[in-house]
Amino acid sequence: MAVARRIRRRGWMNAANKSNQTTTTEPRRPVVRHLAVRSRTAGSLAEAKAYVFHVEGTLVDTVLPSVNCWLQTLAEFGQVFRTADVHRFHGMDSEDLLDRLLPEGAARENKEFILAKYRSRWATEVLPTLRAFPGVRELIGELVARGAKIALVSTGGAEEVAHYRTLLGVDDLVEVVVSGEDVARGMPHPDLIAAALDKLGIRQPGDALLVGHSPYDAEAAHAAHMRSVGMLTGLFARADLVNAGSQSVFLDAKSLRQALATPEVAA
């Protein structure tokens, strides 16, 4: 009887150990607590009637320069953050970003001064150093050749957007450009997207596709009742973009163009 009990005990221990090993080795999907999972409307990526591109971070490499600009500016006002703290809210409307970062009280009272300093530093020190991502013109040219309409949206002012257009060299392919001066709010509010669709003459948001780089682009598209795809050029995790509502996620403009040429991916 004692031997039988030892055998049964060893069997239970072995079974428990195997169960624990299975639990610890099973891969886990990352949990993005600050983003809700969105319902996604199915549809072909290659057959949208219009494509709306968020310029910053998607077509022009602005993410790390912008984060560094925020860090320097905030430090001047006694607010010290880590790169990850600021990047977490990158792509969000500037005022919303500061509301998330700054503590209540005196820091928020300085918000307008912080915004003014950031914009001044961005225009004079950062903007001249920016570069467009490779493959942007080829991607947009391919979409236009398929008969699609193209819109560019940016939170920047007129002069900033003019600089981006010079970098991109796609004015002959683009029908509509919407800047931050045309709307009251940036992402994740749908204002920029709604203005672009209106100017394009798109009455059914489901006929258009937003191409963005941050979870806040995907959330804005969701609010506008349209589909979106994400680019890893924003340096967010793929899970962040998917959980925010991106139908698909691509490395960059080149990989999106390649995917559009592959029926099983584009569908």
Side-chain angles (χ1 to χ4, degrees):
M1 292 293 291
V3 173
R5 283 197 297 270
R6 285 199 297 270
I7 291 173
R8 285 197 299 270
R9 188 179 297 113
R10 287 175 183 172
W12 295 332
M13 291 177 64
N14 289 339
N17 289 337
K18 289 180 180 179
S19 176
N20 289 338
Q21 289 173 3
T22 302
T23 302
T24 55
T25 58
E26 184 180 355
R28 298 179 181 177
R29 181 172 180 172
V31 177
V32 187
R33 300 188 184 279
H34 65 292
L35 298 173
V37 176
R38 306 297 188 184
S39 59
R40 288 172 284 279
T41 304
S44 171
L45 301 183
E47 295 179 358
K49 294 181 180 179
Y51 294 83
V52 179
F53 288 87
H54 188 178
V55 173
E56 294 96 330
T58 308
L59 305 182
V60 178
D61 189 0
T62 62
V63 177
L64 286 180
S66 176
V67 170
N68 289 331
C69 189
W70 277 119
L71 290 171
Q72 293 176 45
T73 303
L74 288 163
E76 290 186 11
F77 290 84
Q79 301 296 322
V80 179
F81 295 94
R82 300 172 303 168
T83 299
D85 295 331
V86 176
H87 177 259
R88 181 184 181 190
F89 302 113
H90 187 271
M92 180 178 283
D93 179 86
S94 295
E95 292 198 27
D96 290 345
L97 178 148
L98 287 179
D99 286 340
R100 298 289 187 93
L101 285 175
L102 297 177
E104 298 285 351
R108 289 199 179 181
E109 292 177 4
N110 290 327
K111 188 168 75 169
E112 291 304 317
F113 297 103
I114 295 173
L115 281 170
K117 183 64 178 180
Y118 170 84
R119 289 166 179 159
S120 174
R121 172 176 277 119
W122 179 261
T124 58
E125 299 178 20
V126 183
L127 193 62
T129 70
L130 300 178
R131 297 291 182 269
F133 285 115
V136 169
R137 181 172 176 84
E138 291 78 5
L139 169 61
I140 293 179
E142 173 69 21
L143 295 173
V144 170
R146 292 170 178 261
K149 297 179 179 180
I150 305 297
L152 305 181
V153 298
S154 167
T155 55
E159 292 185 8
E160 185 176 335
V161 172
H163 184 73
Y164 292 148
R165 293 169 70 172
T166 299
L167 292 177
L168 294 169
V170 293
D171 276 2
D172 57 319
L173 302 173
V174 172
E175 292 196 25
V176 166
V177 178
V178 178
S179 77
E181 295 182 4
D182 299 317
V183 298
R185 304 171 299 178
M187 310 299 187
H189 310 286
D191 303 33
L192 285 167
I193 301 171
L197 295 182
D198 184 61
K199 288 187 176 183
L200 286 171
I202 300 294
R203 301 302 173 218
Q204 297 295 329
D207 291 336
L209 188 74
L210 175 71
V211 184
H213 70 287
S214 81
Y216 308 106
D217 290 332
E219 291 189 344
H222 178 79
H225 307 291
M226 66 183 288
R227 296 176 294 137
S228 68
V229 298
M231 298 281 205
L232 294 177
T233 50
L235 306 181
F236 285 93
R238 182 181 299 270
D240 286 9
L241 300 174
V242 171
N243 288 348
S246 295
Q247 180 175 331
S248 303
V249 178
F250 301 94
L251 180 63
D252 52 19
K254 289 182 177 180
S255 67
L256 175 54
R257 185 187 177 205
Q258 292 170 355
L260 290 170
T262 307
E264 60 271 22
V265 176

